[in-house]
Amino acid sequence: MPAQLSVCNGCCCGRVEKGHNEVPIDTLKEAWEKHELAEHVKLTISTCLGPCRMHNVSLLKTANERTWIGKLSTQEDYLALVEWALDVAKLGEDAKLPDTLTRRIFKP
């Protein structure tokens, strides 16, 4: 499998009651199914990925790279993750992150 996307929905991420934006888990799962992305990018919904100071984080893994994305706050941010996965399905390791995600990269 060339890539993996881990989306945090744990103790802080997605917790509206703590002032964080909801994680659209159903939207992501539906997109993976609709576009048959599972054979190209494994989607994992995690209980906690770690860097809680960033909240609403995701980890994108490819054979050569780990990229942390944080402060995902809108539906468009999460749809950009789908866009990235679609690009991985087409281009493999040559896939590029959408600009909206590039601006949210951080080092843990």
Side-chain angles (χ1 to χ4, degrees), residues 75-85 97-98 100-101:
Q75 185 80 2
E76 289 76 28
D77 291 335
Y78 288 97
L79 292 176
L81 293 172
V82 174
E83 181 183 334
W84 171 77
L97 279 177
T100 188
L101 295 179

Side-chain angles (χ1 to χ4, degrees), residues 60-106:
L60 291 69
K61 291 192 258 183
T62 62
N64 300 319
E65 194 170 28
R66 295 177 130 213
T67 305
W68 287 90
I69 308 291
K71 296 187 179 177
L72 298 169
S73 59
T74 65
Q75 185 80 2
E76 289 76 28
D77 291 335
Y78 288 97
L79 292 176
L81 293 172
V82 174
E83 181 183 334
W84 171 77
L86 288 166
D87 207 28
V88 168
K90 290 179 192 169
L91 303 173
E93 291 293 320
D94 293 329
K96 302 288 186 226
L97 279 177
D99 288 339
T100 188
L101 295 179
T102 302
R103 294 189 300 267
R104 299 189 181 286
I105 293 174
F106 73 95

Side-chain angles (χ1 to χ4, degrees), residues 1-105:
M1 185 162 306
Q4 180 175 356
L5 170 61
S6 297
V7 177
C8 188
N9 190 43
C11 61
C12 299
C13 298
R15 298 298 170 246
V16 178
E17 67 276 8
K18 291 184 177 185
H20 305 300
N21 297 72
E22 183 178 351
V23 177
I25 296 169
D26 291 336
T27 300
L28 291 170
K29 288 180 177 181
E30 288 168 10
W32 252 250
E33 188 174 318
K34 175 182 176 183
H35 300 291
E36 300 177 351
L37 291 170
E39 62 189 82
H40 304 284
V41 180
K42 180 181 179 187
L43 174 64
T44 302
I45 306 300
S46 173
T47 56
C48 187
L49 288 175
C52 297
R53 72 187 181 341
M54 292 302 288
H55 64 81
N56 288 34
V57 300
S58 290
L59 175 60
L60 291 69
K61 291 192 258 183
T62 62
N64 300 319
E65 194 170 28
R66 295 177 130 213
T67 305
W68 287 90
I69 308 291
K71 296 187 179 177
L72 298 169
S73 59
T74 65
Q75 185 80 2
E76 289 76 28
D77 291 335
Y78 288 97
L79 292 176
L81 293 172
V82 174
E83 181 183 334
W84 171 77
L86 288 166
D87 207 28
V88 168
K90 290 179 192 169
L91 303 173
E93 291 293 320
D94 293 329
K96 302 288 186 226
L97 279 177
D99 288 339
T100 188
L101 295 179
T102 302
R103 294 189 300 267
R104 299 189 181 286
I105 293 174

